[in-house]
Amino acid sequence: MKSLCHTKGYADGRYVLPPLPYDVSELSPLVSAETMILHHDKHHAAYVAGANKAADELDAICRASEKFELAADATHRLAFNLGGHVLHSLYWYNMSPFAGGSPAGVLRDKIEESFGSVHSFRHLFAAIAGGLPGSGWAVMGVDPLSKKLTIAELSRHQDGVVAGFIPLVACDVWEHAYYLTWKNDRKGYVERFVEHINWGFVEKLYLTVL
C-alpha cells in the first residue's frame, strides 16, 4: 500500500492533502485545469481541514472529560470530511492522462465474474454514475462478504456503503467536479471518466485486498 494514494493522505498525525499525480492541465478535456485547481486545491483541501478540525475537537472532548454532548456533531463532521478526503484521494489516482484500455490479470477476471464482462461494467458504472439523483459518488469496490466487485452510489461521502466495503474506483459526480467543462452533460463526463480509468493503479490496489 505504500505506493498507493492512501498513504499520501495522512502524515505526522494529521490528515494532509495529497499532491496530484499529474499536471493540472493533463486531464483536459475530461477535467479542465481550472476545474482541477478549484476541485483539488479548494474543495479537497477543505475536507482535509474539516477532518483535522473535527478530530481535534473530539480529542479535546475526551481529554477534558467534559462537554460530551458536543461529540455527536464533531463525529458527524469527521465522518463527512474524512469520507470526502478518502474518496477524493482515490479519485485523483483513478484517472491518468495515460490511462485507457482495459483491465488485465486477476482484476479483469474478477470484473468478468462480477459483471459478466468489462463491457458490461463500463456501461453499468456509467449508468449508475450518470443516474444519481442529485449529487454524490459512484464507487466500484469489494464486497466484504462475497468478495465480489460491486458498484455503490453514495449521496454523501460517508453514506451508502456497508462496513468493510473497499473502494477501488470512485467517480465524483458532485457538480463542482465537472460543471465548468461539461455544464449539464453529466452523461458525457462519466462516460469520459470510464475511458480514463487508470487500470494499472486499480489492479495494484485490488491486489492488496485479495
Side-chain angles (χ1 to χ4, degrees), residues 5-144:
C5 65
H6 296 77
T7 58
K8 299 180 184 297
Y10 191 79
D12 300 323
R14 306 291 291 174
Y15 300 111
V16 296
L17 182 68
L20 291 171
Y22 34 71
D23 185 78
V24 294
S25 63
E26 286 190 283
L27 286 181
S28 182
L30 168 60
V31 181
S32 68
E34 183 182 13
T35 296
M36 186 67 73
I37 292 169
L38 289 170
H39 197 172
H40 178 267
D41 298 356
K42 301 298 183 181
H43 287 279
H44 189 175
Y47 296 130
V48 173
N52 281 318
K53 180 180 180 181
D56 288 344
E57 291 175 9
L58 283 170
D59 183 66
I61 291 169
C62 291
R63 293 181 184 280
S65 297
E66 58 184 22
K67 297 185 177 179
F68 291 114
E69 67 277 7
L70 301 178
D73 177 66
T75 298
H76 173 78
R77 286 184 285 109
L78 177 59
F80 179 78
N81 285 289
L82 182 53
H85 179 32
V86 170
L87 288 170
H88 279 89
S89 297
L90 182 59
Y91 174 69
W92 307 128
Y93 280 79
N94 278 154
M95 301 178 290
S96 169
F98 310 107
S102 297
V106 295
L107 177 61
R108 183 184 183 92
D109 293 342
K110 199 65 176 181
I111 288 174
E112 291 176 345
E113 174 192 338
S114 301
F115 304 110
S117 68
V118 175
H119 175 81
S120 293
F121 161 76
R122 293 183 194 277
H123 285 275
L124 182 64
F125 190 91
I128 291 172
L132 272 167
S135 300
W137 294 78
V139 183
M140 187 266 278
V142 181
D143 181 314

Side-chain angles (χ1 to χ4, degrees), residues 153-164:
E153 63 172 51
L154 285 69
S155 58
R156 295 188 300 172
H157 301 146
Q158 76 275 33
D159 293 344
V161 176
V162 297

